[in-house]
Amino acid sequence: MNRKATALDVAKLAGVSRSAVSLVLNGRGDGNVAKESQVRIREAAATLNYTPNAIALSLRNRRSRIIGIVSDQVVTSPFDGNIIAGADAVARSQGFVTVVMDTELDETRDESAVATLLDRQVDGLMYVTVGLRPLHVPLNMLRVPSVLANCFDDRPEAGVPAVIPDEVRGGREAATHLLELGHRDIAFLAGDGVTPAAPRRIQGHREAFEAAGLPVRPGRILEAGWDIDAGFHGAMKLLDGVAAPDRPTAIVCANDRLAVGVVLAANRLGLAVPQDVSVMGYDDEFRIASTMVPALTTMALPLREMGAAAMTGLLRELSEEPEDYDDGGAPAEHGRPGQTLVPCRLVVRESTGPVPS
Amino acid sequence: MNRKATALDVAKLAGVSRSAVSLVLNGRGDGNVAKESQVRIREAAATLNYTPNAIALSLRNRRSRIIGIVSDQVVTSPFDGNIIAGADAVARSQGFVTVVMDTELDETRDESAVATLLDRQVDGLMYVTVGLRPLHVPLNMLRVPSVLANCFDDRPEAGVPAVIPDEVRGGREAATHLLELGHRDIAFLAGDGVTPAAPRRIQGHREAFEAAGLPVRPGRILEAGWDIDAGFHGAMKLLDGVAAPDRPTAIVCANDRLAVGVVLAANRLGLAVPQDVSVMGYDDEFRIASTMVPALTTMALPLREMGAAAMTGLLRELSEEPEDYDDGGAPAEHGRPGQTLVPCRLVVRESTGPVPS
DNA sequence: TTGAAAGCGGTACCAC
DNA sequence: GTGGTACCGCTTTCAA
């Protein structure tokens, strides 16, 4: 295979000039180029298999139709991946391409990742994190329209719009689901205090109890961690050697892997899920929640939606800002100004049931 | 923030010509540009925060320092992600950037993904799949140096080098581990027959038994699927209501999620892992295998290594092919010509132990 | 030692 | 209706 055909090749084959080729292939042929020339040009383009060189286009137009994505850890997590997938789908549908740079949780690589992307003339920038967290946006990011997904800058003046899950509401609706099943003694296995996700989910949990006029029993909110073993040990603490009346009848976990650990522990103790104890996850982790035995009731994180929403907003900003940029802050849909809250989605499966009588 | 500085800006500030700037900043100043001009140029570049426009560079040099990666499903899987992470790290270390296009398992998007990438003037192409599988490389891929990771083209003439895990050996070493612990009746919970990974692992399994002069009991190889519930039901079939002498003493699973299902089933049946039955996973899936209770002994897929190996080979080919391409097939390290086999790595944790007496 | 100029592949303006 | 040409930002050759 030899090198790709250029507009000049097409022009020669069709016996016209480069400009004619450009006009016709961009739909502005009518009224500028003779009908029969147009036909010859299209034929020539087809036989040569011509597509314009995106690099040359970028240089000329000063816009690359590339969106740069900085991720703190794409790779090993289905989380970031889904956000990026949602964003990428939207971008692709509008003729944009995304390029992802992964800092692998090394914050010192933030600025250089952004700089590399900027050198590539990206039209816009998106910063994605695995877990919900606050950050200081890399300064360079302000040079082009930008958006944050699953993270936020808590300095009010930062001025980069953020798209994050509505964790408080998620926690509230999770607890409500259980409350409606008749549970009154519900334990919460939280991740850690450092990521804002767990505290927000707990806040929602408390709000649900409050709204129902019920108390949260002391000692029922356990900071556990995020992994299977943490769930296992947390559940053992809650269930092992505890008489039925003193046992929580339901355990809601800050993620699905914790819930796996809880079920593992229940099985080992001879407790049936959900007959003896209901278990809820959070995240709806792919290939885990739905295939677990029993399949996990969980609060699905709207990852793809967040990615899509973030990208949609970004591209809108791009098209509104034809040449020079305006300072108008994006209108917030909910939450703090500049923050869009995307609701989580309750997925009821088999790990929760009515309170044991 | 206004727009980025160009070489011309630097030249003006330093009071020299653009060419001088180019020479100096590319290390070819000595012998061409006066020492003091050099200093002024560097200072000017620094104060203007100048970095060259990668787009213009690409157009000029006809090489973009971009490697295009086509993935059949990055997103939701830690698998692809890790391969890409390994590849990306190598690429970045050599000043390349990767851009990933995800076909989301839609094969009709193959060619268009490659075409898009080619329009962007990628210097090389890599095709990555979530699971090991054969494929027909998109024709366009042959236009630039390319490599396959975790997949292969079974048409001998395709001529695209592939980097894949040594699954046969992985299956063999997994069985050997168990055999050495004294197990003689070992069951294998396979995925499905359609992906080549499972059959190869099974082949290795059989080879290990053969080498030990032992038979594989009939009915001990079960095609189960790939998920937690499949592992659960497979294990129930093997263990539930079966007297100890007729029970396998070890179960090796085609992946870690199956192993989770097996442990879940064992717990429910009151069987202890590994005291009553040893369980092995495969893949060493992040956040699952090591945090499982008990932590899973598993055969780690060399994902990052595969990505790194593939990218290393690709970049080598790029640098050996300064202008026009040569047809020399890449030398195979093992396996079929053009295929590099990367060994898996046995990770011994707590889910396997000596055969019960 | 320096600067002018060509060209990478397009697009768009402007004479003809 | 058409083709010539300037320009996007950079590298590289060549003449001064």
Side-chain angles (χ1 to χ4, degrees):
Chain A
M1 297 254 176
N2 27 28
R3 78 174 213 304
K4 274 191 54 173
T6 75
L8 187 56
D9 298 325
V10 177
K12 275 185 191 154
L13 183 57
V16 298
S17 74
R18 291 207 334 267
S19 356
V21 174
S22 171
L23 285 174
V24 171
L25 264 27
N26 288 312
R28 260 166 308 133
D30 289 342
N32 289 312
V33 179
K35 283 269 180 272
E36 40 175 50
S37 297
Q38 296 201 32
V39 177
R40 285 208 315 283
I41 289 171
R42 284 186 206 290
E43 277 172 358
T47 63
L48 291 178
N49 227 309
Y50 169 78
T51 49
N53 178 324
I55 295 284
L57 275 176
S58 301
L59 185 59
R60 167 72 225 207
N61 299 336
R62 289 132 142 277
R63 52 211 312 277
S64 58
R65 299 192 82 78
I66 298 180
I67 302 296
I69 299 183
V70 180
S71 152
D72 67 349
Q73 191 190 36
V74 203
V75 309
T76 31
S77 89
F79 304 107
D80 257 27
N82 269 305
I83 299 177
I84 294 174
D88 188 60
V90 170
R92 199 184 51 243
S93 76
Q94 315 217 162
F96 284 78
V97 160
T98 57
V99 6
V100 180
M101 303 224 61
D102 193 333
T103 65
E104 300 186 76
L105 291 177
D106 178 354
E107 295 207 9
T108 64
R109 270 163 59 183
D110 270 14
E111 289 283 3
S112 79
V114 171
T116 304
L117 257 8
L118 251 16
D119 285 344
R120 299 276 176 184
Q121 298 274 85
V122 293
D123 294 340
L125 240 21
M126 175 164 159
Y127 198 116
V128 187
T129 55
V130 204
L132 177 65
R133 70 179 179 86
L135 53 75
H136 283 190
V137 293
L139 269 176
N140 273 331
M141 225 173 144
L142 303 172
R143 301 188 75 111
V144 294
S146 297
V147 65
L148 306 175
N150 212 21
C151 48
F152 52 93
D153 196 314
D154 40 16
R155 296 166 304 174
E157 74 285 7
V160 179
V163 178
I164 59 180
D166 192 341
E167 301 283 13
V168 177
R169 180 167 155 193
R172 192 167 57 226
E173 292 183 353
T176 302
H177 167 64
L178 261 5
L179 254 9
E180 284 173 352
L181 287 169
H183 296 273
R184 291 298 173 262
D185 187 355
I186 305 174
F188 195 108
L189 244 41
D192 52 52
V194 310
T195 19
R200 292 180 184 202
R201 291 170 191 181
I202 293 170
Q203 185 193 331
H205 185 79
R206 291 191 187 281
E207 287 179 9
F209 271 78
E210 219 162 290
L214 294 165
V216 174
R217 281 188 57 174
R220 283 307 192 226
I221 312 273
L222 269 70
E223 190 164 303
W226 294 106
D227 286 309
I228 296 177
D229 48 357
F232 181 87
H233 295 118
M236 288 308 257
K237 202 172 302 173
L238 251 14
L239 305 174
D240 191 17
V242 180
D246 286 330
R247 256 183 354 225
T249 62
I251 302 180
V252 11
C253 303
N255 74 12
D256 291 327
R257 292 193 310 277
L258 285 169
V260 171
V262 171
V263 173
L264 237 16
N267 278 6
R268 196 177 288 193
L269 296 173
L271 259 22
V273 178
Q275 291 77 7
D276 296 314
V277 57
S278 284
V279 178
M280 257 196 90
Y282 206 113
D283 290 354
D284 196 22
E285 187 170 344
F286 187 62
R287 284 174 172 151
I288 300 286
S290 67
T291 70
M292 182 61 187
V293 185
L296 294 178
T297 294
T298 192
M299 188 60 63
L301 273 183
L303 299 169
R304 285 192 75 102
E305 292 88 331
M306 285 167 51
M311 184 59 76
T312 303
L314 183 55
L315 295 183
R316 186 182 319 122
E317 199 181 336
L318 282 181
S319 58
E320 282 170 0
E321 176 223 60
E323 200 54 23
D324 48 6
Y325 71 110
D326 69 328
D327 255 351
E333 302 192 13
H334 334 259
R336 302 176 26 162
Q339 279 187 194
T340 301
L341 258 34
V342 184
C344 300
R345 197 174 55 252
L346 176 68
V347 180
V348 179
R349 296 204 181 90
E350 296 155 21
S351 65
T352 52
V355 64
S357 47
Chain B
M1 296 250 178
N2 26 28
R3 74 174 216 303
K4 274 193 55 176
T6 75
L8 187 56
D9 297 327
V10 177
K12 274 185 191 154
L13 183 58
V16 298
S17 75
R18 294 208 326 266
S19 359
V21 174
S22 171
L23 285 173
V24 172
L25 264 26
N26 288 311
R28 258 164 310 134
D30 290 342
N32 288 313
V33 179
K35 283 269 183 271
E36 40 175 50
S37 298
Q38 295 200 31
V39 176
R40 284 207 316 284
I41 288 172
R42 283 186 207 289
E43 278 172 357
T47 62
L48 291 178
N49 227 309
Y50 170 77
T51 49
N53 178 323
I55 295 284
L57 276 177
S58 301
L59 185 59
R60 167 73 226 211
N61 300 335
R62 287 133 142 275
R63 52 210 314 279
S64 58
R65 300 191 82 77
I66 298 180
I67 302 295
I69 299 184
V70 180
S71 152
D72 67 348
Q73 191 189 38
V74 205
V75 312
T76 31
S77 90
F79 303 107
D80 257 27
N82 269 304
I83 299 177
I84 293 173
D88 188 60
V90 169
R92 200 184 49 245
S93 76
Q94 315 217 160
F96 284 78
V97 159
T98 56
V99 6
V100 180
M101 302 226 60
D102 193 333
T103 66
E104 300 187 81
L105 292 176
D106 179 353
E107 295 207 10
T108 62
R109 270 161 61 181
D110 270 14
E111 290 283 3
S112 79
V114 170
T116 304
L117 259 7
L118 250 16
D119 284 344
R120 299 276 174 185
Q121 296 274 84
V122 293
D123 294 341
L125 240 20
M126 176 164 159
Y127 198 115
V128 187
T129 55
V130 204
L132 177 65
R133 69 180 181 87
L135 53 75
H136 284 191
V137 293
L139 270 174
N140 273 332
M141 228 173 140
L142 303 171
R143 300 188 76 110
V144 294
S146 297
V147 65
L148 306 175
N150 211 23
C151 49
F152 53 93
D153 196 314
D154 39 16
R155 295 165 304 173
E157 74 285 7
V160 179
V163 178
I164 59 180
D166 193 342
E167 301 283 14
V168 177
R169 182 167 153 195
R172 192 166 57 226
E173 292 183 355
T176 303
H177 166 66
L178 262 4
L179 254 9
E180 283 172 354
L181 286 170
H183 297 273
R184 291 296 173 265
D185 187 355
I186 306 174
F188 193 107
L189 243 40
D192 53 52
V194 310
T195 21
R200 291 181 185 201
R201 291 170 192 180
I202 292 171
Q203 184 193 331
H205 185 78
R206 291 190 186 281
E207 286 179 11
F209 271 77
E210 219 162 290
L214 293 166
V216 175
R217 280 187 58 176
R220 282 309 191 223
I221 312 272
L222 269 69
E223 189 163 306
W226 293 107
D227 286 309
I228 297 178
D229 48 356
F232 181 86
H233 295 121
M236 288 307 258
K237 202 173 300 175
L238 252 12
L239 305 174
D240 190 19
V242 180
D246 285 330
R247 257 184 351 224
T249 63
I251 302 180
V252 12
C253 302
N255 74 12
D256 291 327
R257 291 193 311 276
L258 284 169
V260 170
V262 171
V263 173
L264 237 17
N267 277 7
R268 194 176 290 193
L269 296 173
L271 260 23
V273 178
Q275 292 77 6
D276 297 314
V277 56
S278 284
V279 178
M280 258 196 89
Y282 205 111
D283 291 353
D284 196 22
E285 187 171 343
F286 187 62
R287 286 176 171 149
I288 300 286
S290 67
T291 70
M292 184 57 189
V293 186
L296 293 178
T297 295
T298 192
M299 186 61 62
L301 273 184
L303 298 170
R304 285 193 75 102
E305 293 87 330
M306 284 166 50
M311 184 60 77
T312 303
L314 183 56
L315 295 183
R316 185 181 319 121
E317 199 182 336
L318 282 181
S319 59
E320 282 171 0
E321 174 221 62
E323 201 53 23
D324 48 8
Y325 72 110
D326 69 329
D327 255 350
E333 302 191 13
H334 335 260
R336 300 175 29 163
Q339 281 189 192
T340 302
L341 258 34
V342 183
C344 301
R345 196 174 58 253
L346 177 68
V347 181
V348 178
R349 296 203 182 92
E350 295 153 22
S351 65
T352 53
V355 64
S357 47

